[in-house]
Every structure is written in C-alpha cells, then in structure tokens.
Amino acid sequence: IDDGFTVFPCVETDDMEPSEAARWRKLCSRAQRHVRLAHDKLRDLRQEGLALPPSEQYSFLEAHPELLSLPIEEAAAGGPPGPPPTNWLWTPAHDA
C-alpha cells in the first residue's frame, strides 16, 4: 500500500471451515489488540515528549529512539499537522 496508512490484515473467505474461521477471528482479534496497545503506548510517549520544553525534547528523543519509527506528520486538508490515521481494514484486494 502506497498511501502511508498502517494496515492490519484479517480476511475470512467462503471456503474456510467454521472452526478455521473462528480460530482466525480469535488470532486476528488478539493481534489487533496487541498492535493497538503498542500504537497507543507510542502515541502517549510522543505526547509526553511534546509536552516538554523545546530545550528538553532532543534528550527525550535520544532516551526513546522508538519514537523515530513514527511516520512524519503532515497537515491534512489544511488542518494542523498530525499523525497519519490508522486503517485497520484489509480486503482481498490487498492479497492480490
């Protein structure tokens, strides 16, 4: 995907057995919850760093290099800069 969105794949197909579909739903639910919690933790850590005075932000970033993996913020539709939205949708077209 070239639109910059974060995508989480979870697809059920008509040829899945009911037990396989249930297992897949459970796996996807757990994985999605894990990714969402990690995303929320990074977002909260980022907000903590932004709340610091500018003179302390660089040392905070050095102490938390995981924040460097966050996408660059861009203004959306003339609004203020912000992180790109998270799109949890995955369709069969992504598997093609």
Side-chain angles (χ1 to χ4, degrees), residues 3-95:
D3 59 9
F5 288 82
T6 302
V7 182
F8 185 79
C10 258
V11 177
E12 289 180 34
T13 61
D14 294 335
D15 60 339
M16 284 184 175
E17 296 292 327
S19 61
E20 181 184 8
R23 212 171 37 250
W24 190 247
R25 275 192 301 275
K26 187 175 182 179
L27 173 72
C28 287
S29 175
R30 285 181 181 171
Q32 185 178 23
R33 185 171 50 247
H34 175 76
V35 169
R36 186 180 300 125
L37 289 173
H39 180 266
D40 291 348
K41 184 178 178 181
L42 275 176
R43 186 193 63 222
D44 293 345
L45 189 60
R46 178 185 169 277
Q47 287 303 109
E48 182 182 334
L50 290 175
L52 294 172
S55 60
E56 297 176 22
Q57 288 182 0
Y58 184 76
S59 59
F60 184 83
L61 187 58
E62 283 183 322
H64 300 283
E66 64 273 21
L67 293 175
L68 294 172
S69 67
L70 293 174
I72 296 173
E73 295 185 358
E74 296 180 9
T86 301
N87 180 4
W88 301 103
L89 180 64
W90 187 271
T91 65
H94 293 99
D95 289 329

